[in-house]
């Protein structure tokens, strides 16, 4: 293997992308299956230790071997549509890697490549996707490969979520109050519940109250309860959330939204470990664990005078930061598969119990999810899964639909991988896959039968979409919409009165591709 550690392009890349790890932990390059025709393989890993000792790694139908963390049954990708000719990953200098796709094309972060590419350390830390034959999607990233902590309720195997599980274990059996921080939708209440279930109070109540929905007029009664006759309509004694959580755990959710006049009440209850129900004369001692959760910048609110610093210090006995979903890419497919199974069980129970092939997720959808910012985090991911299942209700499998497309309409995170060929690389069209077994007549017939859609035609022929595109280029029997000239598009538009279906048949291109091309060229 040629020594590339002195390559000027690579050296330049490394100077501008130094690896960064706040905890200075040792991490290993790793491939994780994030989409596969058999969903049971989603989450399986192949840790690429050979790269650390100068070996190259081959990725093909038969290698490397993948196993779930903690599992022992390693197996290859083993999909007959994927070539035995390997894509290679080779070690570079300073933590960079070389991707060699000269023998077998691969889709790198959404772009088909068939040459040599540098994957810099920063991109590897974030994670890049490798698509094989439009059938399997792998995530190339780094991992500590630590044993996973057993803690029910928190799915995922990324280092980020493992850090949260270990934080929970450290604090769960103590009585210290905990402040759980994180963006909206990351699962802060699940973390609070996991703390409760792992604590000495697990057999008692877990009570949660959203402070943002607490009206100031009834805040005291809601939190601390009231005696009979305390006010008009108080026909019976009412226990507040503090009393309901006696012996157990109370979660104060959306802490930053606590009304200002309620904050002193909370502080007094915490400091005195007692409450005085409205209209009552006798204080009641408290015996509970307090957990608070927020997505707000409480320190800024403290400086602005809208949040009590004393209350913050009382509640932040120990802090746990829950990572955003975009920072745990390895977990996105695992979570999404879980949500899809749950939705299928609710919407189509019979289908949910059938063979797992019906559960296979479209590789294009998973790739979109991994590159999407997902500002709503886990909650948003669950919502997309619900739309996918309902919009495919009654269908044979799961496919991208308009409902799901609308949910993913926001901009994807752009790849930071170097997507220009490396020095000396030849820019050649991807070599056709061996034994494609498709002649011009069969190719033309499949395209005509499927309204010129390359994806559907490729499926009908049993070949990858990339192979079909290559056959189209070599045979010239059809073109992509993007290859049409502006003049051809204008003529077809006028002749068909702007009707996309008619234009698609006239120009012999897919309707979807045509629509996108017209939009990009601001025509029609």
């Amino acid at each position: 293997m040629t020594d590339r550690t002195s390559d000027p392009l690579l050296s330049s890349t490394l100077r501008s992308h130094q690896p960064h790890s706040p905890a200075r932990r040792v991490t290993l390059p790793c491939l994780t299956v994030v989409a596969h025709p058999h969903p049971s393989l989603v989450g399986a890993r192949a840790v690429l230790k050979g790269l650390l000792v100068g070996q190259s790694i081959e990725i093909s139908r038969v290698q490397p071997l993948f196993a779930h963390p903690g599992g022992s049954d390693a197996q290859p990708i083993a999909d007959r549509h994927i070539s035995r000719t390997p894509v290679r990953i080779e070690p570079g200098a300073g933590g960079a890697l070389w991707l060699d796709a000269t023998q077998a094309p691969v889709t790198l972060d959404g772009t088909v490549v068939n040459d040599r590419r540098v994957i810099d350390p920063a991109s590897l830390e974030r994670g890049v996707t490798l698509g094989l034959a439009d059938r399997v999607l792998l995530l190339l990233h780094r991992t500590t490969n630590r044993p996973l902590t057993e803690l029910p309720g928190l799915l995922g195997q990324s280092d980020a979520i493992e850090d949260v599980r270990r934080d929970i274990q450290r604090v769960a059996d103590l009585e210290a109050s905990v402040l759980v921080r994180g963006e909206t939708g990351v699962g802060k209440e699940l973390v609070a519940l996991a703390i409760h279930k792992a604590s000495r109070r697990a057999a008692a109540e877990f009570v949660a109250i959203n402070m943002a929905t607490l009206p100031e007029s009834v805040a005291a009664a809601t939190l601390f309860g009231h005696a009979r006759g305390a006010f008009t309509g108080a026909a019976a004694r009412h226990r507040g959330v503090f009393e309901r959580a006696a012996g157990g755990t109370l979660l104060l959710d959306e802490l930053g939204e606590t009304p200002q006049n309620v904050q002193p009440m909370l502080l007094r209850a915490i400091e005195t470990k007692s409450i005085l129900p409205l209209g009552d004369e006798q204080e009641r001692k408290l015996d509970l664990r307090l957990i608070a959760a927020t997505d707000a910048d409480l320190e800024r609110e403290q400086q602005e005078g809208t949040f009590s610093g004393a209350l913050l210090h009382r509640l932040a006995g120990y802090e746990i930061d829950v990572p955003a979903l975009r920072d745990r890419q390895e977990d996105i497919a695992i979570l999404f598969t879980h949500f899809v199974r749950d939705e299928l069980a609710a919407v189509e129970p019979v289908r949910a119990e059938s063979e797992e092939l019906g559960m296979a997720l479209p590789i294009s959808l998973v790739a979109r999810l991994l590159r999407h910012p997902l500002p709503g985090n886990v909650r948003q991911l669950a919502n997309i899964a619900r739309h996918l299942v309902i919009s495919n209700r009654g269908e044979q499998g799961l496919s991208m639909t308009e409902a799901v497309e609308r949910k993913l309409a926001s901009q994807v995170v752009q790849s930071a991988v170097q997507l220009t060929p490396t020095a000396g690389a030849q820019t050649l069209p991807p070599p056709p896959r061996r034994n494609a077994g498709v002649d011009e007549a069969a190719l033309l017939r499949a395209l005509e039968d499927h309204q010129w859609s390359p994806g559907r035609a490729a499926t009908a022929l049993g070949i990858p979409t990339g192979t079909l595109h290559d056959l189209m280029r070599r045979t010239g029997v059809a073109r992509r919409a993007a290859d049409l000239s502006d003049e051809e598009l204008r003529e077809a538009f006028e002749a068909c009165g702007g009707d996309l279906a008619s234009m698609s048949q006239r120009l012999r291109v897919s309707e979807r591709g045509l629509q996108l091309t017209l939009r990009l060229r601001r025509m029609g």
Side-chain angles (χ1 to χ4, degrees), residues 1 4 29-32 46-52 54-60 63-64 66 86-92 95-102 104 106 108 115-119 124 128-130 132 138-142:
M1 185 176 67
R4 299 177 181 85
C30 173
L31 284 169
T32 297
V47 181
L48 312 180
K49 294 180 180 178
L51 292 172
L52 302 181
Q55 298 175 1
S56 66
I57 302 295
E58 294 187 343
I59 307 171
S60 70
Q63 54 189 334
F66 293 83
V87 175
R88 287 184 172 83
I89 298 178
E90 301 167 2
L97 298 177
W98 287 84
L99 176 70
D100 185 348
T102 54
V106 65
L108 174 63
D115 46 34
R116 298 183 60 81
R117 304 288 163 120
V118 173
I119 299 177
L124 188 58
V128 298
T129 58
L130 303 177
L132 306 177
L138 305 175
L139 180 68
L140 176 61
H141 60 111
R142 298 191 71 88

Side-chain angles (χ1 to χ4, degrees), residues 190-408:
L190 285 177
V191 170
L193 184 58
I195 295 171
H196 170 71
K197 288 183 175 180
S199 75
R200 300 166 186 161
R201 300 176 177 268
E205 289 290 319
F206 174 83
V207 179
I209 181 169
N210 189 325
M211 304 303 288
T213 63
L214 191 63
E216 295 185 24
S217 58
V218 296
T222 303
L223 292 171
F224 311 127
H226 62 74
R228 178 181 178 183
F231 50 83
T232 303
R237 181 179 178 275
H238 170 74
R239 293 191 310 152
V241 293
F242 272 81
E243 277 195 86
R244 285 166 44 206
T249 303
L250 175 60
L251 169 64
L252 304 176
D253 201 5
E254 301 291 352
L255 180 67
E257 302 299 320
T258 305
Q260 282 187 267
N261 72 326
V262 175
Q263 294 175 26
M265 303 181 200
L266 280 178
L267 181 59
R268 183 185 181 282
I270 295 169
E271 288 182 333
T272 64
K273 296 183 180 179
S274 64
I275 59 169
L276 179 63
L278 202 64
D280 207 333
E281 296 179 355
Q282 185 175 2
E283 288 192 337
R284 289 176 169 79
K285 287 297 181 182
L286 293 177
D287 174 26
L288 52 77
R289 171 82 171 274
L290 273 174
I291 301 177
T294 186
D295 61 357
D297 184 345
L298 297 181
E299 287 74 16
R300 180 179 57 79
E301 291 188 10
Q302 178 188 346
Q303 292 175 356
E304 294 172 352
T306 58
F307 195 84
S308 165
L311 181 58
L312 172 58
H313 298 319
R314 284 287 183 180
L315 290 172
Y318 188 77
E319 296 192 23
I320 296 179
D321 290 310
V322 185
L325 197 50
R326 61 182 171 275
D327 295 328
R328 36 185 303 214
Q329 273 199 317
E330 186 182 356
D331 296 335
I332 291 175
I334 295 171
L335 287 164
F336 194 65
T337 302
H338 169 76
F339 292 141
V340 168
R341 286 191 191 279
D342 278 358
E343 292 298 332
L344 274 174
V347 175
E348 296 185 89
V350 175
R351 180 176 170 189
E353 295 171 2
S354 63
E355 60 177 334
E356 70 164 0
L357 284 176
M359 257 289 301
L361 301 174
I363 183 174
S364 59
L365 172 58
V366 178
R368 289 275 295 277
L369 290 172
L370 265 65
R371 290 161 46 221
H372 197 282
L374 292 171
N377 292 289
V378 179
R379 189 180 297 133
Q380 181 181 5
L381 194 67
N383 190 269
I384 295 171
R386 184 176 304 113
H387 274 74
L388 178 70
V389 170
I390 295 175
S391 59
N392 279 281
R393 189 176 185 183
E395 301 295 332
Q396 289 291 325
L398 299 171
S399 61
M400 183 74 85
T401 64
E402 290 185 10
V404 179
E405 187 67 46
R406 285 194 297 270
K407 286 289 176 184
L408 293 170

Side-chain angles (χ1 to χ4, degrees), residues 447 452 454 469 472-473 476-485 488 507-510:
L447 287 166
W452 306 98
H469 279 142
M472 287 169 60
R473 281 193 296 269
V477 301
R479 295 176 292 172
R480 298 179 308 158
D483 297 329
L484 298 171
S485 68
E488 288 175 295
L507 295 169
R508 307 207 307 181
V509 296
S510 75

